[in-house]
Amino acid sequence: MKSNWNGVMPAVFTWLKESKSGTLEIDFDETQKQAANILKTQGKNGSRMNGLVGSGTLGENSYLNTNQRLSLLKSLSEVAKEYSVPLISGASSETKEELAKIIEGLATVGVDTVMVMPPKTKTVPSEKEMYEYYALSEATAKDVGVTIMPYNNPDAAGYHALSTELLMKLSVLPNVTALKISTIDVSIIETLMLENKNLKILAGVDTVTVHAGLAGACGGITGVGCIFPKASVTMQEYVSNGEWAKANKISQALNSLSYLDAQPLLMEYLKLAMGIHYNDVAGGLRTFGKKLSKQQIDDVHSRYLLAKERLEVLDLIN
């Protein structure tokens, strides 16, 4: 499944349920259902999400074992095929050899593009080591029939920043189809676009969708768009058409909730907001991640209601 990357795609949540033994397990049916609901939503100008991101940061990725992750992605591939969009998933490892094995596994369950995060090492790799890490992933992806998307996430703890020089070197590898830049510093996007105006760059933080578009990003990967897909798709429509004032109104309406996308507990916060939106607070609080305090829960609830109220004025609630 190919993508031109011009648009927005949701990083869907992995919904969980209680097993008979009382432990949490993946609710495949609910996860598929919610992914389908997001993909079928249209913006005001008729466009839809143009991809599906599964088992990402918002999808409990850090807490899933290999079998859980592959089973989840296999189920999401069915939804992606139904709506004719590519399935994207992340991958990271300490060594390039381990990363190659992960990519091989992802290709067997229907993943079309792998977002390759920097290596999980305590010491900072040299530029040469970092390039070799990504080069092997690109070659492996070619062998198994998928593509890769180098993922620069310098704002997240535990991930090494990719220099603009390295990103440019990686962008010209044959099997690299796009770059994902997850940072509020959109000047990185602008710098890359000035070097190569044909680059495909996706923004990864909801608060900067409009600013990233101004800097040259062709689209983005969204978490808040899982909750308010009509608003997210419509905002990207306006960005793509250069209707900046209209896009900015939506960005401002989403601001109270988008703020959470740049916080360390973004998965827990946004998953709860999703639960509130669908009258399933208990489900929204089921996570392999951290438990939220009452103060945090109340804050998410208030932020959700404020965004909903603002979007209702703009007729952007599904």
Side-chain angles (χ1 to χ4, degrees), residues 11-286:
V12 295
F13 304 99
T14 300
W15 224 246
L16 305 176
K17 62 182 179 181
E18 292 186 19
S19 67
K20 292 181 180 179
S21 64
T23 60
L24 291 178
E25 62 183 20
I26 297 174
D27 188 335
F28 293 101
D29 290 340
E30 188 62 27
T31 301
Q32 284 183 317
K33 177 183 175 182
Q34 294 205 11
N37 285 338
I38 296 166
L39 292 180
K40 71 174 63 170
T41 301
Q42 293 185 332
K44 283 194 171 182
N45 292 331
S47 66
R48 298 182 181 181
M49 300 282 185
N50 71 332
L52 179 62
V53 180
S55 186
T57 301
L58 295 178
E60 309 272 346
N61 180 68
S62 298
Y63 304 97
L64 301 179
N65 60 41
T66 299
N67 289 336
Q68 288 174 319
R69 190 176 297 113
L70 293 180
S71 296
L72 172 64
L73 289 165
K74 187 174 183 178
S75 70
L76 287 174
S77 71
E78 297 174 9
V79 182
K81 289 175 182 176
E82 180 182 353
Y83 289 89
S84 300
V85 298
L87 178 63
I88 299 99
S89 184
S92 181
S93 184
E94 289 190 12
T95 69
K96 59 182 183 290
E97 291 81 11
E98 290 177 355
L99 176 63
K101 291 180 180 178
I102 292 172
I103 293 173
E104 290 172 350
L106 293 175
T108 66
V109 292
V111 171
D112 299 290
T113 297
V114 181
M115 295 186 301
V116 181
M117 292 167 276
K120 294 180 179 179
T121 55
K122 292 182 180 180
T123 57
V124 180
S126 67
E127 288 282 290
K128 181 177 181 293
E129 290 171 329
M130 195 83 88
Y131 180 81
E132 291 173 349
Y133 172 87
Y134 277 95
L136 180 59
S137 71
E138 188 266 348
T140 303
K142 182 179 180 181
D143 289 341
V144 297
V146 300
T147 60
I148 70 164
M149 181 191 303
Y151 180 7
N152 191 29
N153 196 350
D155 296 340
Y159 289 108
H160 308 301
L162 304 180
S163 68
T164 53
E165 292 80 8
L166 178 59
L167 286 166
M168 285 303 306
K169 287 178 66 177
L170 297 176
S171 70
V172 298
L173 293 174
N175 230 39
V176 171
T177 56
L179 303 175
K180 181 183 177 185
I181 307 296
S182 291
T183 174
I184 59 175
D185 182 8
V186 296
S187 68
I188 295 174
I189 298 174
E190 184 175 73
T191 299
L192 291 167
M193 293 302 298
L194 285 171
E195 289 292 325
N196 182 354
K197 65 180 181 180
N198 295 317
L199 279 180
K200 295 293 185 179
I201 298 179
L202 299 179
V205 183
D206 280 308
T207 53
V208 300
T209 298
V210 178
H211 308 85
L214 279 165
C218 61
I221 294 176
T222 178
V224 173
C226 295
I227 306 163
F228 295 118
K230 183 177 180 180
S232 182
V233 173
T234 302
M235 179 166 58
Q236 186 60 49
E237 287 176 340
Y238 291 147
V239 168
S240 299
N241 292 333
E243 299 178 80
W244 305 111
K246 290 182 179 180
N248 202 46
K249 281 186 178 180
I250 301 175
S251 180
Q252 290 172 344
L254 287 168
N255 181 270
S256 62
L257 205 58
S258 296
Y259 166 84
L260 300 176
D261 190 46
Q263 305 307 308
L265 296 182
L266 73 161
M267 178 190 74
E268 291 87 345
Y269 289 152
L270 292 180
K271 192 172 191 180
L272 172 58
M274 182 77 161
I276 295 170
H277 186 66
Y278 284 97
N279 297 313
D280 185 14
V281 175
L285 287 171
R286 291 191 190 110

